[in-house]
Amino acid sequence: MASVFLYHVVGDLTVGKPEMVEFYETETVESAIRAIGESTECGIPVWRKRSLVPGGFVENSEMRQQRFVGILSSLDIVAFLAKSECLQEDKAMKIPVSQVISPNNTLLKQVDPGTRLIDALEMMKQGVRRLLVPKSVVWRGMSKRFSILYNGKWLKNSENSSSSSGLSTDSNRPATSKASSRDKFCCLSREDVIRFLIGVLGALAPLPLTSISSLGIINVNYNFIEASIPAIEATKRPPCDPSAIAVLEQTENDFAKKFSSRSIGFNPTSPTRLSIGRSMYRGRSAPLTCKTSSSLAAVMAQMLSHRATHVWVTEADSDDDILVGVVGYGEILAAVTKQPSAFVPSNRSYEGFGNENQS
């Protein structure tokens, strides 16, 4: 286990993060499309509005968790607009997202800024996609690289640490602000975690330069649809994580499949136009791919530079884009916390996998 996971806390990742602005379930589909285009992980957390309670009532974490509805993704929007009752586009765009989103309030969890990074990673590996972190706590007069916070509590040797550095204990303690910032939060995604990790790759050696095949993190249970099948079939069972469906064509080899020139999605810069074409890849004209021989660091860099939630993996010894699997945030988080003894041989076969989306 890399020491970077033990020395760092969630609060270290919130530096420079803007305050979260809640997106309510009463907002329209059109507004959601615009928000998704600017979001991390191609999805937005959706909230219920606060109940008006007289007397300056303060919302606690449990009440806030109950207000969280779920995460709305671009594929959810596509699946909704593909329904027969949404053929009138102008009318469909004005429908509230409460009628589109699939409620799941386990995808977000509120945590203390002093939560260890390793604990946050474990939460995300268990299915949490967003961490809600209060912005009412700040660190002063000490390095965040070796924070003396542990699960939100001050360690017993905090006084010794502060005296040895010439700082008083009181000056190092987090300063909790009053009511003016008690409802201010920032929202951390898995993309934020990966962005932090790529800045400390040296502490993760030798993992970053190890191939994704050797790490055994290629997900062969990807979702796909044959290019000859009507695109609407892909919307009937949208995948959860990653929220992606490959459009494939059969090759001469009955078991091998390659990417089609078609795609399914919408252009966030033009929220009133659903497209079956090349506009869904955030400016790219093709899906993001890597080889089975690609290193973990290379895949992480690809995802961050394109703000993608996943990278499709193709055969290393083929130029025909033969698909073997996909790597998403979940696989990367599993890799960086995996023990070296759990690595698999690099000559593993990936032939004949995938989940086809068809009725």
Side-chain angles (χ1 to χ4, degrees):
M1 181 66 63
S3 60
V4 66
F5 298 136
L6 304 177
Y7 289 141
H8 280 280
V9 294
V10 171
D12 297 341
L13 279 65
T14 64
V15 178
K17 289 287 291 183
E19 179 185 343
M20 181 190 68
V21 177
E22 295 183 353
F23 187 91
Y24 296 119
E25 61 179 354
T26 54
E27 297 282 352
T28 64
V29 169
E30 184 174 357
S31 298
I33 292 177
R34 289 195 180 96
I36 288 174
E38 301 173 355
S39 67
T40 61
E41 297 195 33
C42 295
I44 51 174
V46 178
W47 300 81
R48 298 183 183 91
K49 289 186 176 181
R50 290 183 176 88
S51 300
L52 297 178
V53 181
F57 184 77
V58 178
E59 182 181 52
N60 59 33
S61 59
E62 183 177 350
M63 297 170 61
R64 191 174 296 107
Q65 185 73 43
Q66 291 302 316
R67 281 200 307 110
F68 173 67
V69 180
I71 295 178
L72 185 69
S73 72
S74 56
L75 202 53
D76 293 329
I77 299 288
V78 172
F80 173 75
L81 295 178
K83 295 180 178 179
S84 57
E85 57 265 32
C86 296
L87 295 180
Q88 293 183 326
E89 190 173 291
D90 293 340
K91 184 179 179 180
M93 287 293 175
K94 302 303 180 184
I95 292 177
V97 297
S98 59
Q99 299 183 29
V100 182
I101 189 171
S102 299
N104 184 354
N105 75 344
T106 64
L107 298 178
L108 177 143
K109 185 176 179 61
Q110 181 175 333
V111 298
D112 188 272
T115 302
R116 292 188 308 170
L117 182 55
I118 184 60
D119 297 327
L121 291 178
E122 288 301 323
M123 294 177 197
M124 289 183 164
K125 286 168 61 178
Q126 296 300 319
V128 174
R129 299 191 198 175
R130 298 289 194 280
L131 295 177
L132 194 63
V133 187
K135 289 182 71 69
S136 58
V137 177
V138 295
W139 287 266
R140 297 181 304 189
M142 63 178 295
S143 169
K144 290 185 176 60
R145 179 173 177 80
F146 297 104
S147 175
I148 55 175
L149 280 171
Y150 179 84
N151 281 345
K153 299 179 180 179
W154 291 92
L155 298 179
K156 293 180 179 179
N157 63 348
S158 60
E159 294 184 0
N160 296 333
S161 300
S162 59
S163 60
S164 62
S165 60
L167 299 170
S168 67
T169 304
D170 291 338
S171 66
N172 282 326
R173 288 180 180 270
T176 304
S177 58
K178 303 301 180 182
S180 60
S181 62
R182 65 188 175 196
D183 288 329
K184 294 182 179 180
F185 296 86
C186 66
C187 193
L188 293 178
S189 67
R190 294 177 297 181
E191 178 182 314
D192 294 314
V193 174
I194 302 302
R195 193 173 301 278
F196 172 81
L197 292 178
I198 207 167
V200 293
L201 287 182
L204 303 178
L207 285 178
L209 298 182
T210 306
S211 71
I212 55 176
S213 176
S214 297
L215 292 174
I217 62 171
I218 301 175
N219 180 5
V220 297
N221 295 313
Y222 56 88
N223 288 270
F224 72 92
I225 186 173
E226 294 283 354
S228 59
I229 294 176
I232 196 171
E233 296 296 329
T235 68
K236 293 182 177 180
R237 292 182 298 172
C240 294
D241 190 32
S243 184
I245 300 175
V247 182
L248 303 179
E249 295 176 349
Q250 194 73 40
T251 65
E252 295 180 358
N253 183 344
D254 290 338
F255 294 101
K257 299 179 185 297
K258 66 178 182 178
F259 277 109
S260 169
S261 60
R262 297 176 179 271
S263 61
I264 304 170
F266 66 81
N267 185 355
T269 61
S270 180
T272 59
R273 295 184 63 84
L274 178 69
S275 63
I276 307 296
R278 294 175 175 266
S279 62
M280 66 174 293
Y281 301 118
R282 286 192 167 180
R284 302 189 310 277
S285 60
L288 195 61
T289 63
C290 69
K291 298 292 187 179
T292 55
S293 56
S294 298
S295 68
L296 178 64
V299 174
M300 292 170 65
Q302 273 186 289
M303 293 175 67
L304 291 178
S305 62
H306 294 280
R307 298 199 70 185
T309 61
H310 58 280
V311 177
W312 298 104
V313 185
T314 59
E315 290 183 353
D317 55 353
S318 174
D319 296 327
D320 296 328
D321 287 336
I322 303 300
L323 185 65
V324 298
V326 64
V327 172
Y329 288 121
E331 286 74 34
I332 291 180
L333 294 180
V336 298
T337 56
K338 183 183 294 185
Q339 298 297 329
S341 59
F343 297 165
V344 300
S346 58
N347 60 351
R348 177 182 177 184
S349 174
Y350 295 98
E351 194 172 81
F353 289 91
N355 300 316
E356 185 172 6
N357 280 52
Q358 63 179 27
S359 59

